[in-house]
Amino acid sequence: FGFVFRRTNLVRPFVFVADEFQRFITSDPESGEASFLERCRAFRGMCVLATQSIASLRYALEAQDSSPSSEGRFALPMMLNNVGTNLYFRSTDIETQSRLMQMIPAPSRPDHPHVIQVRPISSLKVGECYYLPCSGKVGRGQIVL
């Protein structure tokens, strides 16, 4: 992380990719990911954080910090709020499903079901995802590899 903030070429963006992110996540206030993500925009840093589920991230953070009064319990919401573009692939995680219900706008007609109720995240095909980019456009699409 230190390299991103000390590098001299700030014109060219830096991309940090963390697959299986739940294995590396930390709530350390100085060097943890919440702090890192907050500072990345100023240093043209982009992060790709891939994990199995939000529950996996929460479990990893709680395993590190068992004190209920600790600031570490705020690390996950801070991280999720600082990630501008979200892609949600097939998952059975209830917390992920709930987050999508909150983030994707409800239908304009109250008698229509929410898109997540019609097509739950657990029913997506391989490579299909719900996307929520920084622009605010929300949708479902297929990633072709």
Side-chain angles (χ1 to χ4, degrees):
F1 294 156
F3 167 77
V4 174
F5 306 123
R6 287 191 308 269
R7 65 195 170 98
T8 56
N9 183 357
L10 294 179
V11 175
R12 190 172 189 161
F14 178 87
V15 179
F16 172 76
V17 179
D19 192 13
E20 297 295 332
F21 184 55
Q22 71 277 4
R23 294 182 181 181
F24 309 106
I25 193 170
T26 177
S27 61
D28 179 66
E30 291 300 315
S31 62
E33 287 76 15
S35 176
F36 179 69
L37 289 171
E38 286 177 352
R39 294 181 282 177
C40 269
R41 284 186 294 264
F43 292 90
R44 295 185 54 96
M46 294 180 282
C47 299
V48 177
L49 309 175
T51 186
Q52 296 298 320
S53 65
I54 293 173
S56 297
L57 294 175
R58 184 174 309 288
Y59 177 79
L61 286 170
E62 287 175 0
Q64 292 175 25
D65 187 15
S66 59
S67 170
S69 63
S70 172
E71 294 176 4
R73 68 178 191 260
F74 299 112
L76 184 59
M78 287 170 50
M79 276 184 263
L80 294 174
N81 289 335
N82 278 309
V83 175
T85 297
N86 293 266
L87 302 175
Y88 292 92
F89 292 87
R90 182 174 53 198
S91 173
T92 57
D93 179 36
I94 295 169
E95 190 170 359
T96 302
Q97 180 99 354
S98 297
R99 183 167 172 79
L100 276 172
M101 287 281 290
Q102 294 171 6
M103 293 175 68
I104 295 177
S108 56
R109 295 188 48 190
D111 58 331
H112 283 77
H114 195 281
V115 67
I116 299 299
Q117 293 170 315
V118 174
R119 187 68 190 269
I121 191 170
S122 60
S123 70
L124 297 178
K125 295 181 280 184
V126 173
E128 189 176 19
C129 68
Y130 283 105
Y131 57 85
L132 298 100
C134 303
S135 66
K137 180 183 176 185
V138 176
R140 189 182 82 229
Q142 178 74 33
I143 303 236
V144 181
L145 300 175

